[in-house]
Every structure is written in C-alpha cells, then in structure tokens.
Amino acid sequence: MTEENEKRVRAFYEATVPGHRESLRGLQAPHVVYDMPEGMPMGCGHFEVNQKRGIRWNTAKAFLKAATNRPNLTLMSGCHVEKLLVEQGEQGPVCKGVQFTGGGTQWQAHATRETILAAGSVGSPQLLQLSGIGPAGMLHELGIQPVADLPGVG
C-alpha cells in the first residue's frame, strides 16, 4: 500500500470508527493493520471482500446469472479462444468475432455489433498477437500474417 493510500485508510478509520484504536487495545490486538499483506499473523483491520447478504459475490453471480436467459447469449464453459476473427474495414482492421474450441469441436462466434476482449494482462495481448495484431516483425517470425502492425502489443 502506498503511503498516500495508507493515510487515506487511516483517515477513514478515524472518521468512521470512533475509538477504534482503544477498542482494539481492549481486545488485546497488537496493532491496527491498514493493508492486509499475505501471511500477517496478528493484528486487525479492514479486509475488503465482495459479498451480498453475507455470501461471497462474484462477477458470474452479479451479472452473468441474470443474463443467462437472454436469447442472444449462449454460455459455454471449458472453451479455449484461439484467435480473433479480424476483417478489413473502411478505417482499418475490425474484430468481427472469435474462433474457439470446446468439447473437441472448433467453433466461431460472430458479433453483430462489438467484440469485447477481456482475457487479462497476459491473455489479451497473446490473443491479439495470435490474431495478427502486434509487432509485424515478431509476427512474421512466428509465421503469423500481420493484420495490424502495433509494436505496443505484447
């Protein structure tokens, strides 16, 4: 935690939990922990969790479950995206969907409006590069036909 963030957290505790230090001393807590590092054996403090009515709450429960009955959504688990389907548009390359495998079958999902790439800090650039978006020299070396020469991808 940065020094600035620690100051904000301390200010929050002091403003919202009157006498929090004294109450912790009454519990014989050794100190207040403002950032819960892994392996911290003693102390107490604020611990961030995602819960709804005391039950762990995640993205699937919050957003996906409510959308599973939509006619324009098919949910498939255990799949692996291989590449983005990119076509040349009027203003350059446009992603029109994805190619993926699931259950031993190769599939394609085509988008009518937009494609959202959310594969994380490693998976997203990997998928872009596998789809021909990235440093053209590197893509050529790997036998991938460049679609867009973008040296910043990777």
Side-chain angles (χ1 to χ4, degrees), residues 12-112:
F12 169 79
Y13 273 107
E14 290 165 7
T16 59
V17 186
H20 76 282
R21 287 184 193 272
E22 291 75 22
S23 64
L24 292 174
R25 282 193 197 105
L27 296 172
Q28 296 181 342
H31 59 282
V32 178
V33 179
Y34 293 98
D35 182 21
M36 291 292 218
E38 188 175 328
M40 177 62 78
M42 301 181 82
C44 58
H46 179 71
F47 186 72
E48 292 184 27
V49 295
N50 291 321
Q51 291 184 347
K52 183 176 182 182
R53 297 187 187 116
I55 298 172
R56 185 170 176 250
W57 201 246
N58 58 28
T59 305
K61 290 176 185 173
F63 303 104
L64 193 55
K65 187 175 180 183
T68 55
N69 294 327
R70 292 176 59 172
N72 64 342
L73 174 69
T74 301
L75 181 62
M76 298 174 72
S77 61
C79 296
H80 176 75
V81 177
E82 296 174 338
K83 69 177 188 173
L84 305 174
L85 302 175
V86 181
E87 298 175 3
Q88 282 299 326
E90 292 178 15
Q91 298 179 349
V94 178
C95 181
K96 293 293 189 173
V98 295
Q99 178 178 305
F100 63 100
T101 55
T105 304
Q106 190 173 69
W107 303 83
Q108 288 188 352
H110 297 275
T112 55

